[in-house]
Amino acid sequence: MLFRSRTDTYVPWLAPASSQREHRPGAAMIAAATVLLALLGAGLLLVSLAAQYRYVLAVKHAPVPAVIEAAGLDVGMAVFSLLALGLARAGQPARTERVLICACAAGSAAMNYAASDAASPRSVLVYVMPPVFLAVVADRVVAVVRRHVLGAAERSAWTAAAAAALYG
């Protein structure tokens, strides 16, 4: 039996030690999804970083600043993803972090778009997809972890972006 507070929210640091060892149904699958998110994130980070590095290096002609600038948005997305996952595991909202994940993905996609051949839809798709897809997956993992901890529905950070695209 898990210790519950008066608001019926699981509070892991207040739970008895024996209940912390208990696993809720689906916990192993959610943990596996989180590990896969980390692997996917590492792979897509490398793909996006390579595209951005070539682009920034061609503009600045300085390798070290090109690496730093190319990595900025994608590493920022990883940082905000970890913060959001940590907050979700603690049963806390992570709205700001999730919006910042989307902002970093949009910035990274824009940099990748600049590196692509804009005349080729295939080129644009190949360059722009990695950061956007990673942000969508990260947002869903955070939402599922939060729902698993709290048992409550969680709105996606992409809701506002979808509404703006649909009506804007």
Side-chain angles (χ1 to χ4, degrees), residues 96-116:
T96 302
E97 291 74 14
R98 292 168 73 187
V99 168
L100 290 171
I101 291 168
C102 295
C104 286
S108 181
M111 281 184 71
N112 286 354
Y113 177 80
S116 72

Side-chain angles (χ1 to χ4, degrees), residues 1-59:
M1 181 79 141
L2 298 174
F3 178 81
R4 301 273 179 175
S5 70
R6 283 190 283 176
T7 60
D8 203 35
T9 301
Y10 176 62
V11 183
W13 55 88
L14 294 178
S18 62
S19 71
Q20 288 180 349
R21 285 186 227 111
E22 293 179 21
H23 293 287
R24 294 179 67 188
M29 287 186 262
I30 293 172
T34 304
V35 169
L36 288 174
L37 170 65
L39 293 173
L40 178 67
L44 292 177
L45 174 74
L46 290 174
V47 169
S48 185
L49 180 63
Q52 292 175 21
Y53 173 75
R54 284 192 303 273
Y55 174 70
V56 175
L57 183 63
V59 172

